[in-house]
Structure formats: structure tokens, C-alpha cells
């Protein structure tokens, strides 16, 4: 056992060395744009990767200040700087099933810090006559490299979802991009790029939210002064269907001057209807018949939608005992953070009021749902909330005072918080983790990676890209947060998926029974072991759209050898529970997840 521990430790060191010495192969082909100078970065250093500490071999250690001035190791995760600059601010991010990530910000600030290749230029920019720089890119996880992409019109503060075939459908934006629909199809070469459709949205949408539906369509809800929703593509079967549907609920939840109902929180429920939250109110929407089926209680306390900007997740859906003909699973929505009404207007006058410190959980499947409120360890506005493979929730980014918007927040919250929804003792559900050194305020984002890390980027809290002379400069970097489950002392518990038995080409049918062959150095059938599926999110403006996690029902586990095993599970039974498309499947052994394995529900 001592030898195994030693070998595992050496292996982790080798992997860590690889990551910390990788560099971008695109530096020579796609140089930093000289018209957009970042005063603290040079061309030579802007594509590197480095640790945010000096002890590189302990993913659960990060230094804090000590009386001697040196690093003081403390538990609680590890932060790694992946790129000092990717040339744009990571305002919007989406993980694709080829393990690459589409990132974009906006076009109407003029030239970015990343040049387009092959002499490509845009000639319709709102700020400069000719723009030969990129405002989008694709990041490769394995190589820690990126290449520029070209968007034709402004994608600022837009929304997106991935369709059942894995194509990113991006909707809306600003200026000439507000009614546009753009597609990005994943590829395994360096030639795929954005395609802007001739077909437009019916309504101009800026600050809207998208969600994939059981029938494969995408619903686009709201936006500034857009009190309606529509679908992409339009249902060709229902010839009498309208192009756009009036949504009185959004008009009613819009506050004078502040709005506080933008980027509404959307969650598809197992009955096929849509949970919609805006401001402090939430309803159950039958989008097929344009009918509100139920209004839930108002969440206590502060406002929660942009620019008050809290965040929301649909807590893990436990499918144990749920099959065809079985009762629907219980489902809870969780909302954390936000700001008092008027906080945005006060911030415009230089007064930054304390953000919300509360989270609320609402079991929406109860006959009489009521909010159960809890307190976070710190106040937070503009948080990002991500579901981890373990079923826990990670809360990170944001500020402790103010609201979302230009120059509207102060006192960045640097510590992530782990929330354990199944912890019986409410006083032990929140765990404060190690801080980053990079403030992530307005226009920051975060997504879960297949290897269990969290990719974090962005922060553009000023009306222009301000890199000097401000308390919180615009940030073009990417960093990764390694949750505590990636610490080396847990390496022997970490399973490794070898193959699937049953599905063809990893395509899984609803309700199908299939088996997963895996290895684990330390595994016993009586241990805490689960199989989870996660839909990757499109994250922007403190909301990870479309993310959902399901805990699959296990039939049993078979030991194949000393370290090889096979677990048999049932796939989700319906499209309402798991809309069609790509998911990351994880094995979780004693709280330690495997690397995600891509499957497709069809």
C-alpha cells in the first residue's frame, strides 16, 4: 500500500508538471493585437500557465499570508492560473462534447487583444471602421491552448443552449446582434467557426435566458423590455403556432428603473413544465399552451435577478426507484445571493449596500411548497453556482456589496463556498474553501470541466476595458479551481471509467439498462458509490443555463479483478427528466469522482 501511495504521488507530480509547463501553440500564429495593449502583460508571458502558489504538488494546499511573509498551507482546494491572457474577457462560456470550450465577450468595444487569422476582418463594427481582432475563441482543455473565432455581430449579454446534436445555439445580443441566431458546431480540427443564420429571432433579446426542451427545441425567455418567449426552431408540426408568446409575468416582475427580472432563472421540471423565476417571484409555465399552471410563494429577503444578480441551480435529481410508470422524482430549486431593491441605483451614486447573505430552497414538487432559508458564510452578489459530480454545489465569484453592472460592486468575494445539500446538520452544509487572488466581478463566469476542475474567467466591471487606474481592472485570464476531491490523498479512491456495455457508440436510450466497467485502487461494494450525469452549462451573468444533475439508479456491482469492476444502472426514464443531448457521466466513490465520460441521450 505504501508503494501504491508513492507511485500515485509520482504520477500526480508528472501530470502537474505537464500542465504547468504547457504553452499555447497559437502564440505565433495569432499574436496579441498591438492596438489593445494590456500594460501588465508582455507577448512572451501572456500565453503561459502558472500556479497561484509556490507548493505545486498538493492540490488541496494554497498559501495565505503568514506572519513570516511566506506561504501558509491551508486545506480547501487549489487555484491554478491557466492563461494570463486569452485576449478577451470570458463573459460567456460553454463546454462542448469534444472537450473544447467556446468563450466570447462583445464586439462593440473596438479591437480586442487577440488577432483574427488569415487576414479576416469585420467591417460593421460600432466603434472602429475595420476590426481584424477576435471577440470569441475556442479553448482546448487538454492542451491548454486556444484559437480565435469570428462573430459577425455583437454577442454582448446574450444567451445560448446546446441542441440534441451538440450544436451550440446562441441567441441575441446587442446593437445589430440583438435579434441574431448563431450556431457553432463542434469539430476535431481547426476550421469550425461561428455561422450566423439568415433567420432572426422574432424579438430583439438582450439579457434573455435559454433552455433545451424535451422535444429538442430551445426556448428563449425574456430580455430587456422583451416580455415574451419564443422557440428555436419553431415547431413545424403546429402550423398555427405563433412566432412569439406574450409573457405577462415578466412585465409584472420588472421594477421601475432597475428591472431586476433579467436573465430569468429557468429549470425544466420532470413533469415537462418550466420553472421560471424573476425578481422574487416564480411560476410553473406550461409553455406548450402558454399557460401559467401555478404561482409559487415569493422568496423572502432580497431581489435575486439581474441586476440584483443572485444565482440558481436545480438540485440533483435522485432517480433511485424512479422508472417508467413510477412517480416523478422530488425536485428542489435553490437560489443564493442577490441584492436589496435599489442597490443598483445606489451603486450608480457610489453607495454600495451589503449584498444578500441568504439561500433559499424550494421543493417545487411538494403539494404546498415553501421556501426554506439558510445563511451563507458571507454576503454575495453576482455569484456563480455550479453542480459538482458529487451532487454538491460550488458557489464562487462575485462581490459582497453592490449590484451587477458597470462600477456597481465593491469588495470581491475571493473564497468559494461548498454547499452540501444532503448534510443533515444545517450548520455544516456550507464549507469555505481557499481563495483566489483574482477578483471576479461583473462579466465573470465559471463552468465544470470533465476532469472535475472548475474553469473560471472574466471580470469586466467597467464600461471600457480598464487595466490600470482602477481598483478592479478588467481581467483577461483563465484559471482553474481544483475542489478538495482532487487532492492527492484521494487518488486511490478516484475511479476510472474504461467502457460502456450495452449502448452503441455511447448513445443511450431512455430507461435503458447498461453497464459501466471501471477501475479503482480502493473500492468496496458497501462503500458510498453513485453514478451521476451532468448536462454542461452555458454560463454568463451569474447563471449556468441548462445545467442539471441526475443520480442514476444502480442495479448492482460486479468485481471483475482486483481493481476492475462493473456497475449496472438505468438511464433516466424520460426526456422531461433528461432532455436529449450530451451529458458527462461520472462515477463517484466515497465522494471522489472519476473523470467525466461523454454519453448522448437519444
Amino acid at each position: 500500500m505504501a508503494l501504491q501511495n508513492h507511485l500515485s504521488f509520482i504520477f500526480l507530480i508528472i501530470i502537474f508538471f505537464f500542465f504547468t509547463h504547457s504553452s499555447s501553440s497559437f502564440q505565433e500564429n495569432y499574436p496579441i493585437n498591438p492596438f489593445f495593449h494590456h500594460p501588465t502583460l508582455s507577448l512572451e508571458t501572456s500565453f503561459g500557465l502558472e500556479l497561484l502558489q509556490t507548493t505545486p504538488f498538493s492540490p488541496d494546499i494554497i498559501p495565505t499570508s503568514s506572519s513570516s511573509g511566506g506561504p501558509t498551507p491551508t486545506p480547501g482546494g487549489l487555484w491554478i492560473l491557466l492563461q494570463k491572457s486569452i485576449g478577451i474577457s470570458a463573459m460567456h462560456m460553454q463546454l462542448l462534447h469534444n472537450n473544447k470550450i467556446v468563450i466570447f465577450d462583445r464586439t462593440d468595444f473596438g479591437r480586442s487583444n487577440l488577432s483574427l487569422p488569415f487576414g479576416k476582418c469585420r467591417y460593421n463594427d460600432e466603434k472602429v471602421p475595420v476590426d481584424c481582432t477576435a471577440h470569441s475563441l475556442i479553448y482546448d482543455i487538454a492542451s491548454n491552448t486556444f484559437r480565435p473565432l469570428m462573430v459577425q455581430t455583437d454577442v454582448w449579454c446574450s444567451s445560448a443552449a446546446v441542441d440534441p446534436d451538440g450544436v451550440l445555439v446562441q441567441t441575441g445580443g446587442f446593437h445589430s446582434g440583438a435579434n441574431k441566431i448563431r450556431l457553432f458546431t463542434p469539430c476535431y480540427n481547426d476550421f469550425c467557426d461561428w455561422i450566423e443564420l439568415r433567420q432572426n429571432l422574432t424579438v430583439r433579446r438582450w439579457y434573455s435566458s435559454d433552455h433545451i426542451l424535451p422535444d429538442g427545441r430551445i426556448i428563449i425567455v425574456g430580455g430587456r423590455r422583451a416580455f415574451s418567449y419564443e422557440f428555436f426552431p419553431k415547431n413545424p408540426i403546429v402550423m398555427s403556432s405563433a412566432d412569439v408568446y406574450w409573457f405577462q409575468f415578466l412585465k409584472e416582475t420588472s421594477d421601475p428603473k432597475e428591472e431586476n427580472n433579467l436573465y430569468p432563472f429557468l429549470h425544466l421540471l420532470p413533469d415537462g413544465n418550466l420553472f421560471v423565476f424573476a425578481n422574487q417571484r416564480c411560476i410553473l409555465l406550461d409553455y406548450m399552451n402558454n399557460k401559467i399552471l401555478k404561482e409559487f410563494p415569493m422568496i423572502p429577503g432580497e431581489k435575486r435577478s439581474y441586476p440584483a444578480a443572485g444565482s440558481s441551480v436545480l438540485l440533483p435529481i435522485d432517480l433511485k426507484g424512479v422508472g417508467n410508470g413510477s412517480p416523478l422524482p422530488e425536485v428542489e430549486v435553490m437560489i443564493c445571493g442577490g441584492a436589496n431593491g435599489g442597490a443598483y441605483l445606489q451603486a450608480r451614486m457610489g453607495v454600495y449596500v451589503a449584498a444578500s447573505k441568504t439561500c433559499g430552497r424550494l421543493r417545487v414538487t411538494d403539494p404546498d411548497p415553501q421556501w426554506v432559508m439558510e445563511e451563507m458564510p458571507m454576503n454575495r452578489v453576482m455569484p456563480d453556482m455550479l453542480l459538482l459530480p458529487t451532487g454538491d454545489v460550488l458557489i464562487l465569484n462575485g462581490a459582497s456589496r453592490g449590484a451587477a453592472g458597470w462600477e456597481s460592486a465593491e469588495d470581491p468575494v475571493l473564497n468559494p463556498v461548498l454547499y452540501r445539500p444532503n448534510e443533515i446538520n444545517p450548520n455544516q452544509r456550507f464549507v469555505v474553501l481557499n481563495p483566489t487572488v483574482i477578483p471576479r466581478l461583473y462579466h465573470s463566469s465559471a463552468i465544470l470541466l470533465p476532469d472535475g476542475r472548475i474553469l473560471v474567467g472574466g471580470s469586466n466591471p467597467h464600461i471600457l476595458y480598464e487595466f490600470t487606474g482602477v481598483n478592479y481592472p478588467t481581467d483577461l485570464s483563465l484559471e482553474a479551481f481544483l475542489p478538495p476531491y482532487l487532492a492527492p490523498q484521494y487518488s486511490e479512491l478516484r475511479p476510472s471509467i474504461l467502457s460502456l456495455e450495452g449502448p452503441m457508440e455511447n448513445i443511450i436510450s431512455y430507461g435503458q439498462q447498461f453497464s459501466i466497467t471501471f477501475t479503482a485502487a480502493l473500492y468496496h461494494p458497501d462503500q458510498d458509490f453513485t453514478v451521476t450525469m451532468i448536462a454542461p452549462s452555458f454560463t454568463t451573468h451569474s447563471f449556468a443555463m441548462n445545467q442539471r444533475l441526475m443520480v442514476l439508479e444502480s442495479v448492482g456491482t460486479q468485481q471483475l479483478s482486483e481493481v476492475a469492476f462493473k456497475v449496472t444502472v438505468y438511464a433516466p426514464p424520460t426526456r422531461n427528466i433528461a432532455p436529449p443531448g450530451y451529458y458527462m457521466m461520472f462515477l463517484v466513490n466515497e465522494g471522489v469522482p472519476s473523470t467525466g465520460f461523454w454519453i448522448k441521450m437519444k
Side-chain angles (χ1 to χ4, degrees), residues 22 96 188 242 244 248 261 276 446 464:
S22 61
L96 303 174
Y188 293 90
V244 65
Q248 178 69 21
N261 71 339
V276 183
L464 294 173

Side-chain angles (χ1 to χ4, degrees), residues 423-458:
E423 170 60 47
I424 297 176
N425 185 346
N427 296 321
Q428 297 179 2
R429 287 184 189 146
F430 291 98
V431 180
V432 179
L433 303 178
N434 285 333
T436 180
V437 297
I438 302 175
R440 301 288 182 183
L441 299 173
Y442 188 44
H443 289 155
S444 59
S445 58
I447 56 172
L448 172 70
L449 299 182
D451 58 18
R453 295 178 299 161
I454 307 300
L455 185 69
V456 185

